[in-house]
Amino acid sequence: MEIEQHTRNMPSGGVANGDRAYRDEHSWDQLEEDEHGRLRSSVDAFKKKVRRQRLRMNEKQVGQIRRGMIRYLELVIDLSQAASINDMRPVRSAAMFAAASSFIRAFFDENPLSQLGIVVLRDGVAVQVTELSSSPEMHIEKLKANLDTGGTASLGNALDVATDVLRHIPPYGHREILCLLASLSTCDPGDIMSSIDATVKQHIRVSIVGLAAEVYIFKLLAQKSQGTYGVALDQDHMEHLVMEHATPPPSLKGDEAEKLSLVRVGFPSQASSAPGAACFVGSECSLKAGSFICPQCRARTMEVPSECHVCGLTLIASPHLARSYHHLFPVAPFKEIQEAPVQRCFSCCMNLIRPGNRDDETSDISQCTQCMNVFCLDCDEYIHSHVHSCPGCDREM
């Protein structure tokens, strides 16, 4: 009776808001029934499945795929009216911004010699928010200030803008376009097939991540340009699809970059950071100290990697070059085992859980095929994504 009386006294707006919050939460989607009839969280199982898929790459591809070390990527984000739908928390535009921010940081962490630019779609036009550069925080700040939604999306305009920028990239650069599309249609002023043909002619790979259903023209564009097309099931799946593009993809067949082997670069020296050593830096001629000196023309730039604004020489540091090579010589995939010969992980010394005591159908224990040391799933992922060398093999060396 007290519960009924309390419910009667509640304002109708509070009940409606609570019901809406419960429906928006979709908490029942996070449960699934196992083979024993028990309910368990499907989020953890999905995350582990995604991690295993990312780690268990095809052994035939290890060390035999030619990848581009210098990438030029245009990130196209759909901010049309469809981006204001709240099927992702809080809205699609905020979810895309979070995924794009993580991708931008991961992109430059995995590809320190590459450059990225951002194009947004709004009101039927494509706007170049940032030019190609190597500053991740600048890209994120500019994107955060341009999250207004409205109008329709025009994929044709996005291809025209991105292709016009990427057509001037040197032959050794790998040209890519990554689209985050929330709309189910594209409103173009001209023939979109002409825009697609022009993009493919410039050897530009176009990959698309959709937030709604599959669209034929998006799939056709990805197939013609030898890119990928995926449709996100939820917010976590969208982030996973976007983060897959942080690693350099295989080179396109017939790409001009395959014909070249040498790239002219310079290793700048760092000037003094004392206030008395300040000078005019960069194309904006800002009076700053602690800049980098181009070894060819002695001009000063504020950050590396970058291009000299005077002579156009690519300026890098030796750590950037070393970090780019782990894609060419990756760690061999570890093999999954059902029973561990030892009780603890070789890397973190954590107790290994026996797979027989879990409901998972696959094991969380892996073993290096070279040194035969055993690792847990977390260490396996960390070794392949961050360390890029097996600690057991390094100790033996």
Side-chain angles (χ1 to χ4, degrees):
M1 297 296 294
E2 294 180 358
I3 297 177
E4 293 179 358
Q5 184 66 28
H6 177 70
T7 306
R8 287 196 197 98
N9 294 333
M10 285 182 62
S12 59
V15 176
N17 293 336
D19 180 65
R20 188 183 304 110
Y22 173 73
R23 287 187 285 104
D24 293 342
E25 187 68 24
H26 296 286
S27 57
W28 55 85
D29 292 341
Q30 302 178 5
L31 298 176
E32 66 178 8
E33 186 176 354
D34 60 10
E35 63 274 9
H36 302 291
R38 296 173 299 191
L39 293 178
R40 64 177 183 180
S41 175
S42 61
V43 176
D44 296 337
F46 174 75
K47 289 182 178 180
K48 284 190 175 182
K49 182 180 179 181
V50 168
R51 292 166 67 184
R52 292 192 189 100
Q53 290 176 351
R54 185 168 59 247
L55 290 174
R56 308 299 172 235
M57 64 182 68
N58 191 350
E59 296 185 5
K60 297 181 181 179
Q61 296 180 353
V62 176
Q64 297 182 6
I65 291 183
R66 184 163 186 168
R67 301 179 184 273
M69 292 177 57
I70 304 179
R71 305 168 63 189
Y72 294 86
L73 185 142
E74 285 286 348
L75 179 61
V76 179
I77 301 180
D78 179 10
L79 293 179
S80 62
Q81 188 66 32
S84 61
I85 301 176
N86 61 352
D87 56 349
M88 293 184 180
R89 291 180 294 182
V91 290
R92 286 182 178 180
S93 59
M96 286 191 293
F97 170 73
S101 301
S102 301
F103 168 76
I104 291 172
R105 293 190 176 97
F107 176 82
F108 287 109
D109 184 64
E110 297 282 344
N111 311 271
L113 305 181
S114 302
Q115 296 186 18
L116 181 143
I118 298 178
V119 176
V120 298
L121 304 181
R122 186 191 302 116
D123 296 327
V125 297
V127 181
Q128 184 84 39
V129 177
T130 60
E131 301 293 336
L132 291 173
S133 67
S134 303
S135 178
E137 298 305 323
M138 183 270 292
H139 290 301
I140 295 175
E141 290 179 3
K142 291 290 186 67
L143 179 60
K144 187 176 182 180
N146 290 272
L147 290 178
D148 297 333
T149 60
T152 59
S154 175
L155 181 60
N157 286 336
L159 293 178
D160 293 340
V161 172
T163 302
D164 187 60
V165 174
L166 296 176
R167 73 170 67 247
H168 304 291
I169 297 302
Y172 59 78
H174 291 255
R175 311 166 187 178
E176 302 173 47
I177 300 175
L178 175 60
C179 304
L180 274 68
L181 301 179
S183 179
L184 286 173
S185 61
T186 173
C187 183
D188 305 306
D191 184 11
I192 190 174
M193 298 304 298
S194 301
S195 301
I196 294 176
D197 294 338
T199 302
V200 174
K201 186 178 180 180
Q202 294 297 325
H203 302 283
I204 300 175
R205 184 198 305 268
V206 182
S207 298
I208 300 176
V209 176
L211 273 64
E214 182 178 291
V215 180
Y216 171 75
I217 193 65
F218 299 164
K219 185 176 181 180
L220 178 65
L221 171 60
Q223 290 177 348
K224 280 194 170 185
S225 62
Q226 302 183 42
T228 60
Y229 177 42
V231 179
L233 301 176
D234 51 29
Q235 191 165 342
D236 292 335
H237 190 216
M238 178 194 67
E239 295 179 358
H240 166 66
L241 292 176
V242 174
M243 294 300 292
E244 280 185 342
H245 299 280
T247 304
S251 300
L252 294 177
K253 295 181 179 180
D255 199 343
E256 295 181 4
E258 294 185 352
K259 305 176 184 178
L260 302 177
S261 57
L262 299 177
V263 178
R264 186 177 178 85
V265 298
F267 297 89
S269 58
Q270 189 169 10
S272 175
S273 58
C279 66
F280 293 102
V281 179
S283 57
E284 297 84 5
C285 294
S286 302
L287 187 62
K288 298 179 181 179
S291 56
F292 296 90
I293 303 175
C294 174
Q296 181 168 274
C297 66
R298 311 303 295 176
R300 302 210 177 189
T301 184
M302 204 56 212
E303 59 183 5
V304 291
S306 63
E307 288 187 1
C308 178
H309 62 284
V310 176
C311 63
L313 181 66
T314 301
L315 304 177
I316 64 173
S318 55
H320 298 145
L321 190 61
R323 282 166 49 194
S324 300
Y325 266 97
H326 64 74
H327 298 300
L328 305 179
F329 307 100
V331 182
F334 295 165
K335 66 176 182 179
E336 292 185 353
I337 57 176
Q338 297 298 324
E339 292 293 336
V342 293
Q343 295 293 329
R344 295 182 179 274
C345 172
F346 177 81
S347 182
C348 65
C349 298
M350 184 188 69
N351 288 328
L352 298 174
I353 302 176
R354 296 295 180 181
N357 298 331
R358 298 176 61 87
D359 294 329
D360 298 334
E361 62 274 4
T362 57
S363 172
D364 291 341
I365 305 172
S366 57
Q367 186 178 40
C368 177
T369 57
Q370 302 295 329
C371 63
M372 305 307 294
N373 288 306
V374 179
F375 301 90
C376 62
L377 180 62
D378 294 331
C379 291
D380 187 1
E381 180 183 22
Y382 187 74
I383 288 171
H384 285 84
S385 60
H386 293 83
V387 180
H388 305 295
S389 63
C390 174
C393 298
D394 292 343
R395 190 186 70 166
E396 293 182 356
M397 294 176 58

